[in-house]
Amino acid sequence: MTKAINNYDKTKISMAHVFLQYDQATMIHKYSLDYNSDWLYITFINRTYRINRKTGSVQWSDNDFETVHEANHNEAMTIYDVLCYSKDRCHLSHEFVNINSLSSVRTGNLSPNRGFFQNTADFFNGKTVELRNACISLSGKELEKGDVAFKLNLFPFLPIIIRFWEADDEFPASLQILADRNTLDYMHYETLMFALTHLFSRLKEEMRIEKGEESRQRLIECAAELFWKMGILLTGISEILKQTDLPKGSFYFISKARMTWQQR
């Protein structure tokens, strides 16, 4: 049975064909892209992507393409838009403005006080340390004003600023997004929303990685202490999970802790 193609994938396929109609030498020159006979390379939110010069497909990797992943809709559409539709002489103004002032396009779901931004602000609330570390992981530059504030690069040539404030007794959590005044010379307003959606996904991904590492370390340290006091054979999984208040899915780390202890 042939798997049905959803509308997002149809759009990606269509844009891949559009990409192939544009002059790739111009793209390489405009953005100083690395390239070879098969691929164009571009960095998007601190991750390396490559675009197949013959098919237009977009892939990414975190290990020099030893492991390859297909770009999702938001990633691919942002890259296609920047490479194909940016203005010929696009350049930064070096003046940052609220993204809602960039275009006459207005959508309730994009209001900084509800919907798209508010859901993200609510997710970040109570996690300022994790958010700050996630921004650092994405090579952000820390700024003043805000409980967490960073300048991050969507692309090496196109920065964005995020400022986050925790909720208090009077106000909900707040997230402010600032973009260079000339951002729409590089991409459409709708594409900027794709890029921001992916930026928030990357930040959440980094925050989950950090939380997972902290949980792993906490579990291993607790297991080692119990192994020392009670012995490996007398230390049950339930006791370790009770001490650390971690879910049963952490069993893998307990097994790893046992192996580490036995090798001492």
Side-chain angles (χ1 to χ4, degrees):
M1 181 181 294
T2 303
K3 184 179 179 180
I5 300 177
N6 61 41
N7 289 333
Y8 290 114
D9 287 337
K10 288 179 181 178
T11 304
K12 280 173 53 181
I13 293 170
S14 175
M15 279 304 302
H17 290 290
V18 171
F19 166 82
L20 296 176
Q21 297 173 22
Y22 281 77
D23 182 28
Q24 296 177 19
T26 299
M27 301 174 189
I28 292 168
H29 176 74
K30 179 189 284 187
Y31 294 121
S32 301
L33 303 181
D34 290 332
Y35 66 96
N36 57 35
S37 60
D38 297 318
W39 304 95
L40 301 183
Y41 294 87
I42 191 167
T43 300
F44 176 39
I45 311 182
N46 205 48
R47 176 174 278 165
T48 303
Y49 292 75
R50 66 184 186 183
I51 307 95
N52 190 293
R53 303 187 69 172
K54 299 177 179 63
T55 68
S57 65
V58 183
Q59 302 172 343
W60 64 268
S61 176
D62 285 329
N63 58 4
D64 200 26
F65 293 97
E66 291 183 14
T67 305
V68 177
H69 307 269
E70 182 181 358
N72 65 29
H73 176 268
N74 291 334
E75 296 167 297
M77 296 305 291
T78 303
I79 290 171
Y80 288 140
D81 200 12
V82 167
L83 294 181
C84 298
Y85 296 130
S86 56
K87 292 184 178 180
D88 290 340
R89 298 183 181 276
C90 53
H91 62 279
L92 298 178
S93 70
H94 302 290
E95 176 187 357
F96 284 91
V97 297
N98 191 296
I99 66 163
N100 290 315
S101 69
L102 286 178
S103 173
S104 59
V105 175
R106 291 292 182 266
T107 305
N109 286 338
L110 299 181
S111 167
N113 296 316
R114 63 175 185 264
F116 180 63
F117 290 151
Q118 191 57 53
N119 289 340
T120 302
D122 291 341
F123 177 87
F124 291 155
N125 196 41
K127 307 182 184 79
T128 54
V129 173
E130 295 92 334
L131 177 58
R132 179 178 180 272
N133 290 339
C135 290
I136 291 172
S137 294
L138 297 183
S139 300
K141 177 182 178 182
E142 193 161 16
L143 305 174
E144 297 179 350
K145 297 182 181 179
D147 293 323
V148 179
F150 276 83
K151 179 191 285 187
L152 297 157
N153 286 331
L154 294 180
F155 295 92
F157 46 81
L158 189 60
I160 200 95
I161 289 175
I162 68 168
R163 286 199 170 98
F164 171 73
W165 289 267
E166 289 257 63
D168 58 27
D169 293 338
E170 297 183 32
F171 300 100
S174 177
L175 182 64
Q176 181 186 59
I177 309 296
L178 304 176
D180 187 274
R181 183 176 292 278
N182 290 348
T183 294
L184 299 189
D185 289 352
Y186 293 85
M187 65 178 74
H188 293 92
Y189 187 83
E190 295 82 355
T191 305
L192 179 57
M193 296 303 106
F194 294 152
L196 289 176
T197 299
H198 186 58
L199 171 61
F200 297 152
S201 294
R202 289 295 315 281
L203 288 170
K204 293 175 183 178
E205 175 187 327
E206 293 295 331
M207 292 167 72
R208 285 192 293 269
I209 290 173
E210 179 182 1
K211 183 177 180 180
E213 178 61 26
E214 289 177 355
S215 296
R216 184 189 72 85
Q217 190 60 35
R218 180 155 55 98
L219 191 148
I220 290 176
E221 289 175 358
C222 177
E225 182 179 352
L226 291 174
F227 293 161
W228 177 263
K229 291 179 180 179
M230 303 170 60
I232 292 178
L233 297 179
L234 296 178
T235 302
I237 293 173
S238 59
E239 180 63 25
I240 298 173
L241 295 178
K242 180 180 178 181
Q243 292 289 332
T244 57
D245 195 29
L246 291 172
K248 291 183 178 179
S250 305
F251 173 76
Y252 166 79
F253 294 128
I254 297 175
S255 300
K256 193 169 183 181
R258 276 185 169 147
M259 291 174 62
T260 300
W261 184 260
Q262 288 173 329
Q263 290 171 358
R264 292 185 177 185

